[in-house]
Amino acid sequence: MVRLALDVARRDRAAGLRTGVLVTGYPGSPISGLDLALQREAELAERHGVRLVPAAAEERAATALMGSQMLDGFPHSRYDGVVGFWYGKGPGIDRSGDALKHGNFAGTSEHGAVVVLSGEDHEAKSSTMPFQEDYAFVSAGIPVLYPSSVEEFRTLGLHAVAMSRYSGCWVALKLVTALCDGGQSLQLVQDDPEIVLPELEIGGQPFRKRTDFTFFPGRNIDHERHLYRERQVAALAYARANHLDRIVVRSEGRRRDQVGLVAAGKSWADLRQALQDMGVDDDTLRAHGIRLLKLALTYPLDPEIVAEFAAGLDEIVVVEEKHGVVEWQVKEALCGLPHPVRVLGKRDEHGAPLFPVEGGMDADRIAE
């Protein structure tokens, strides 16, 4: 996470932008230690314009980030824009709902961006109850990116910043306990990932996010239209242009695939581990007519990638923890297709529980 903030600053400097990076939130697991890690690198952070301002409460942090996106109307002598990172976990997101909704509704400045680092405690290891925050982000209209590894904290984090800056949406990065408590050795490559900005037209006009937000009656209705009919469309266009969602395995030649497996984030890592534990590699999947779809953008789900993935299939199995957020979006995307596809997820073909709503999930449970 610290490296992510520093790389954002480095990339903007290389692009000639005078941007600051504001990291604010409330200390808590699973992202506990982020503020301590930044404090340990205080000198390095200061050189790159990365500023840590812990908040007394989560909603104050979200409100501060909303203020950081007002530089187009209130110019600053040192900064062209601010990239903001909010950090906290489930209870903080719940209590900050109003501030997050208003912030996303108002959007981002011309050179600004906001990323919500959402710590999700699916097994209540450090919370009074299990937390899943997808529905909170759906309610606020905030797109959600879900990393499947520690390496993707950085790569999808950089995409989250670029998506936010391009579309005007605040973007959530879903970070679950098992990955936050884990680690990974990786090799960092300069200029990776490459950022591609799509050429998007809506209603015959080139897309451009609005930065003149207002909450006045009447005008705020049109701003709502802009959020859901234009800014979310732009977020989807960004995901397509950068191939964030990918069909990883599919049969080649004349063989017809029959079954598709869909997963994102930690569930994707668990699914791949479960297949490996059962001795099923990609060639075996192809030989048996099984496709795999790896999602990064879990909301809003891209109907185009779902339609491409589902073409010719008889059945799709959605593998995900907690409540079926991806599952209902897959079903919705399939409604308009000319051929029926059976979708299983939280329940099997007989209506019995398949993947649990309660607690977390792991490779062993998926293998069963």
Side-chain angles (χ1 to χ4, degrees):
M1 292 292 102
V2 174
R3 178 63 187 242
L4 169 61
L6 295 172
D7 281 356
V8 167
R10 291 172 180 137
R11 285 181 171 225
D12 279 356
R13 282 188 182 182
L17 292 178
R18 302 182 310 157
T19 54
V21 179
L22 173 61
V23 182
T24 182
Y26 187 80
S29 183
I31 316 181
S32 59
L34 173 59
D35 48 356
L36 297 178
L38 267 171
Q39 288 169 5
R40 284 195 296 268
E41 301 293 343
E43 183 181 348
L44 182 62
E46 184 177 357
R47 286 207 313 266
H48 288 77
V50 177
R51 185 177 181 189
L52 171 67
V53 184
E58 294 90 341
E59 60 269 30
R60 292 190 181 186
T63 303
L65 289 176
M66 181 177 167
S68 76
Q69 301 306 302
M70 296 181 177
L71 293 193
D72 294 331
F74 303 92
H76 194 281
S77 60
R78 292 176 55 196
Y79 298 110
D80 299 322
V82 172
V83 176
F85 289 97
W86 182 100
Y87 63 94
K89 66 173 182 176
I93 293 170
D94 288 348
R95 65 175 289 159
S96 303
D98 183 64
L100 291 171
K101 282 185 177 180
H102 277 79
N104 185 51
F105 193 86
T108 62
S109 66
E110 181 67 23
H111 300 297
V114 176
V115 176
V116 178
L117 304 177
S118 172
E120 301 213 355
D121 191 5
H122 289 173
E123 297 174 315
K125 289 184 175 180
S126 63
S127 309
T128 54
M129 56 180 286
F131 280 90
Q132 176 190 20
E133 293 306 320
D134 301 76
Y135 291 108
F137 296 127
V138 171
S139 175
I142 295 176
V144 179
L145 290 172
Y146 190 4
S148 64
S149 65
V150 173
E151 181 178 9
E152 288 189 351
F153 284 7
R154 176 183 171 272
T155 55
L156 284 187
L158 290 170
H159 279 302
V161 170
M163 177 185 286
S164 177
R165 179 175 284 163
Y166 172 72
S167 70
C169 293
W170 290 25
V171 176
L173 203 63
K174 181 173 175 174
L175 307 173
V176 297
T177 301
L179 292 180
C180 289
D181 289 348
Q184 181 180 1
S185 297
L186 56 107
Q187 182 174 352
L188 297 176
V189 179
Q190 189 174 5
D191 300 326
D192 179 57
E194 180 183 358
I195 301 297
V196 178
L197 298 182
E199 295 182 2
L200 175 65
E201 287 192 358
I202 298 178
Q205 298 294 324
F207 167 76
R208 184 175 178 82
K209 68 177 182 182
R210 292 181 180 175
T211 59
D212 59 338
F213 59 87
T214 178
F215 296 108
F216 289 125
R219 292 187 65 186
N220 55 15
I221 301 300
D222 187 56
H223 213 69
E224 182 182 35
R225 180 199 60 77
H226 180 60
L227 169 58
Y228 289 102
R229 300 296 186 186
E230 297 184 15
R231 281 164 49 191
Q232 282 203 356
V233 173
L236 280 171
Y238 179 91
R240 292 174 191 142
N242 290 274
H243 307 289
L244 300 187
D245 303 320
R246 295 181 292 113
I247 300 175
V248 176
V249 176
R250 70 193 318 167
S251 296
E252 300 171 356
R254 296 183 178 180
R255 173 158 188 105
R256 185 178 79 85
D257 290 338
Q258 296 174 296
V259 176
L261 306 179
V262 181
K266 178 181 175 294
S267 290
W268 170 261
D270 288 338
L271 172 61
R272 293 297 266 176
Q273 184 65 53
L275 293 171
Q276 180 178 319
D277 292 345
M278 294 187 291
V280 179
D281 59 15
D282 291 356
D283 289 337
T284 306
L285 292 170
R286 294 187 186 97
H288 288 79
I290 300 174
R291 286 182 200 162
L292 293 186
L293 172 60
K294 179 185 180 184
L295 297 173
L297 183 65
T298 56
Y299 171 79
L301 192 63
D302 184 359
E304 291 187 10
I305 194 71
V306 174
E308 179 185 352
F309 176 72
L313 295 180
D314 300 322
E315 181 175 283
I316 290 177
V317 182
V318 181
V319 183
E320 62 181 320
E321 320 100 326
K322 312 304 286 181
H323 296 278
V325 176
V326 171
E327 182 180 346
W328 66 257
Q329 292 182 91
V330 168
K331 291 176 177 177
E332 185 177 86
L334 295 175
C335 283
L337 297 185
H339 66 280
V341 182
R342 181 168 64 180
V343 179
L344 310 179
K346 294 293 109 179
R347 295 187 177 276
D348 64 16
E349 62 271 31
H350 306 296
L354 181 58
F355 295 116
V357 172
E358 67 280 3
M361 199 160 64
D362 57 24
D364 292 339
R365 184 64 180 267
I366 294 173
E368 291 175 12

